[in-house]
Amino acid sequence: MRTVYVDAGPMAHLSGKGPLKGHSLLDAEALVSPKGMGLVVFEERIEAISHSEELIAEYGAPNDQLSSDSEIKVISLNGNAIIPGLVDSHTHLLWAGDRSRELSWRHSGKSYREISEMGGGIQDTVRATAAASDEELLKLGYSRMRSALRTGTTHMEVKSGYGLTTESELRLIEIASQLKGMEHLPSMDLTWLGAHDTPHGMNTEQYVEQILSEQLPKVIEQGHARSADVFCEPGWFNVEQSEDILKSSRDGGLDLRIHIDEFVDGGGGELAAELNVTTADHAFHSSADARRKMDAAQVNTGFLPGTPYALGTEWPEFNQMIDDKLTWSIATDFNPNCKTLSLPFMGSLLSQRCSVHPLASLVAATRNPAETTPHSSGQVHGRLEVGAVANFNVVGAPYWEAWCLQPSHTPFASTCISGKLIHH
Ligand code: NIG
Ligand code: FE
């Protein structure tokens, strides 16, 4: 089946090789085509991108019954702008329970650490997740992924990490893998985050030992996770422990990601650079020197603006990253503390709150995270070009800038995912 989309408004194709950095993030002339373009989708891929008139001459006009052949459908986008499918490169998708009471605790001055000592935090979610059935978790994951798709996410990274025993981590990865490849859901890149916290009844040294001797080998044997991640932060996993886990993970064939410097500069940036991890996320408190080292080591900085939003802390200097020509992306960090899967909302935070140009915010939610979070087909995604996966969003507006201007609901009229059009 071939579908031809014509009469697009401006097309933010963002095409080109590799991640974008520096002021090229703002280059609308290079990254956006003026209105009037169209594209041809054949099966799951973009087969051609061309002027609408040329496509109409070849395939017929939209709804032109006379020239239409059942194997070809021509659809008018009625001047609506299009942008690539959004790529959420950092989510904690699978967990049960509810931590809403922590908001009141935060308002009475409790820190993240104190809340976790009061019985909240990751451990609270671990307990609730253990009590949930596989079916409940599968349903939660399904409805969350549907909600991500509604706000334009066509591909997402999903971490385990609310199990913290060998068995429960394998269970979460197994459930996530059942959601992988389900129709009408974003596609998935799976990450094992066994080192998210230390389970009760053990100290961190003992847990790291258990991870290295038992949990990690079993995760590798299970074969679903493509990457490993560690919560490298003073009070959780220190630099040495993170290094041991990540090095063994790499030896076992896993790609590496890391949580660093969320609350303080704990030296995780230097480790990320030394290990050439794919992406180092949060990074709110990383020093300028660590940021430069990471970039020199081709480590992406993954900002998670939903976390400072939810916790009421400071925003990082996104525009400094542009001026310093460093590679960065944004993601939702969906978790029990930050319950949004909307990348348009992240775009709004950047562009309506932190003075980031909307084109830079868009690249940070598409082309750049696609580099760290590959599509399982092995094809290009996160940008619109011939041969790429046919993942794109039709904005319900004649301007691409509208992608981040409706943070409370979806800005998209429809989303094409692996060649299938879904109306919202
Ligand atoms: O990335 N910081 C570590 N992990 C999650 C949050 C975990 C939680 O609070 O449940 C994050 O923000
Ligand atoms: Fe996270």
Side-chain angles (χ1 to χ4, degrees):
M1 176 76 176
R2 209 170 243 108
T3 310
V4 185
Y5 295 90
V6 296
D7 298 331
M11 184 193 289
H13 54 80
L14 315 180
S15 65
K17 240 177 120 48
L20 271 171
K21 50 168 117 177
H23 291 101
S24 53
L25 280 166
L26 314 173
D27 188 353
E29 219 165 290
L31 301 174
V32 184
S33 303
K35 72 176 177 124
M37 300 296 288
L39 43 83
V40 182
V41 172
F42 180 58
E43 289 167 355
E44 297 186 348
R45 312 261 292 270
I46 297 175
E47 187 183 53
I49 299 181
S50 189
H51 288 279
S52 288
E53 305 90 81
E54 286 165 25
L55 295 175
I56 289 170
E58 188 171 348
Y59 295 103
N63 305 318
D64 183 349
Q65 295 304 324
L66 293 175
S67 65
S68 76
D69 120 14
S70 61
E71 284 304 294
I72 298 172
K73 204 160 158 188
V74 184
I75 296 176
S76 171
L77 295 172
N78 298 313
N80 282 320
I82 56 180
I83 66 164
L86 305 175
V87 179
D88 195 345
S89 53
H90 185 133
T91 80
H92 303 258
L93 183 78
L94 283 181
W95 47 269
D98 195 302
R99 298 206 341 237
S100 306
R101 62 183 179 162
E102 292 178 15
L103 180 58
S104 297
W105 296 353
R106 263 198 301 284
H107 276 261
S108 59
K110 302 291 180 213
S111 68
Y112 187 88
R113 179 86 247 173
E114 286 164 335
I115 286 173
S116 118
E117 282 157 8
M118 287 164 72
I122 296 173
Q123 300 288 348
D124 191 19
T125 305
V126 167
R127 274 187 297 274
T129 305
S133 67
D134 291 4
E135 201 193 343
E136 276 167 319
L137 288 166
L138 192 72
K139 276 193 185 147
L140 282 168
Y142 182 85
S143 71
R144 289 168 185 168
M145 288 179 83
R146 287 290 296 179
S147 127
L149 180 66
R150 235 178 347 262
T151 45
T153 296
T154 50
H155 186 68
M156 61 202 287
E157 188 256 9
V158 167
K159 302 177 196 298
S160 69
Y162 290 106
L164 309 186
T165 64
T166 300
E167 199 182 51
S168 59
E169 284 295 314
L170 291 172
R171 171 190 182 227
L172 290 175
I173 296 172
E174 174 58 39
I175 295 170
S177 80
Q178 288 171 27
L179 293 160
K180 195 176 172 170
M182 268 195 196
E183 234 193 330
H184 299 157
L185 288 188
S187 48
M188 186 192 288
D189 186 23
L190 242 167
T191 301
W192 162 69
L193 175 62
H196 195 194
D197 204 351
T198 300
H200 282 309
M202 255 187 215
N203 64 37
T204 307
E205 290 70 43
Q206 291 167 329
Y207 184 48
V208 170
E209 179 42 46
Q210 194 196 75
I211 283 181
L212 295 174
S213 62
E214 184 189 291
Q215 193 176 128
L216 171 60
K218 289 256 169 68
V219 167
I220 292 166
E221 186 188 310
Q222 186 189 32
H224 294 316
R226 192 187 66 82
S227 311
D229 194 342
V230 174
F231 185 19
C232 176
E233 185 83 21
W236 278 269
F237 294 87
N238 66 31
V239 169
E240 294 70 35
Q241 292 160 341
S242 304
E243 181 172 2
D244 287 348
I245 295 168
L246 291 174
K247 277 187 169 162
S248 300
S249 300
R250 174 170 281 158
D251 290 345
L254 298 178
D255 199 36
L256 307 185
R257 311 172 96 84
I258 187 169
H259 285 65
I260 56 160
D261 304 339
E262 179 176 355
F263 306 117
V264 293
D265 179 357
E270 283 78 5
L271 176 65
E274 212 179 285
L275 295 181
N276 297 93
V277 307
T278 297
T279 185
D281 296 359
H282 284 298
F284 297 138
H285 296 277
S286 307
S287 66
D289 188 49
R291 292 194 195 292
R292 269 192 303 275
K293 284 186 181 143
M294 293 201 312
D295 200 67
Q298 294 188 317
V299 176
N300 174 75
T301 299
F303 287 120
L304 311 173
T307 312
Y309 173 81
L311 301 181
T313 50
E314 297 291 297
W315 304 108
E317 283 295 320
F318 301 106
N319 282 328
Q320 192 64 48
M321 296 291 288
I322 298 179
D323 292 342
D324 293 347
K325 301 188 177 63
L326 307 180
T327 306
W328 58 284
S329 58
I330 54 172
T332 62
D333 193 26
F334 175 80
N335 73 65
N337 246 331
C338 172
K339 298 200 274 187
T340 177
L341 279 157
S342 170
L343 282 166
F345 175 46
M346 299 302 126
S348 166
L349 291 179
L350 262 74
S351 294
Q352 297 188 289
R353 277 289 162 273
C354 303
S355 323
V356 178
H357 191 283
L359 192 54
S361 305
L362 181 61
V363 173
T366 51
R367 174 165 160 179
N368 283 9
E371 293 292 321
T372 67
T373 312
H375 196 268
S376 49
S377 66
Q379 308 300 331
V380 166
H381 71 131
R383 46 193 214 241
L384 302 178
E385 53 192 47
V386 172
V389 183
N391 281 353
F392 61 86
N393 287 301
V394 181
V395 186
Y399 304 108
W400 61 267
E401 288 89 340
W403 88 275
C404 63
L405 293 176
Q406 281 177 205
S408 64
H409 56 292
T410 188
F412 305 122
S414 52
T415 298
C416 183
I417 179 161
S418 288
K420 293 197 189 74
L421 193 68
I422 300 195
H423 295 284
H424 294 306

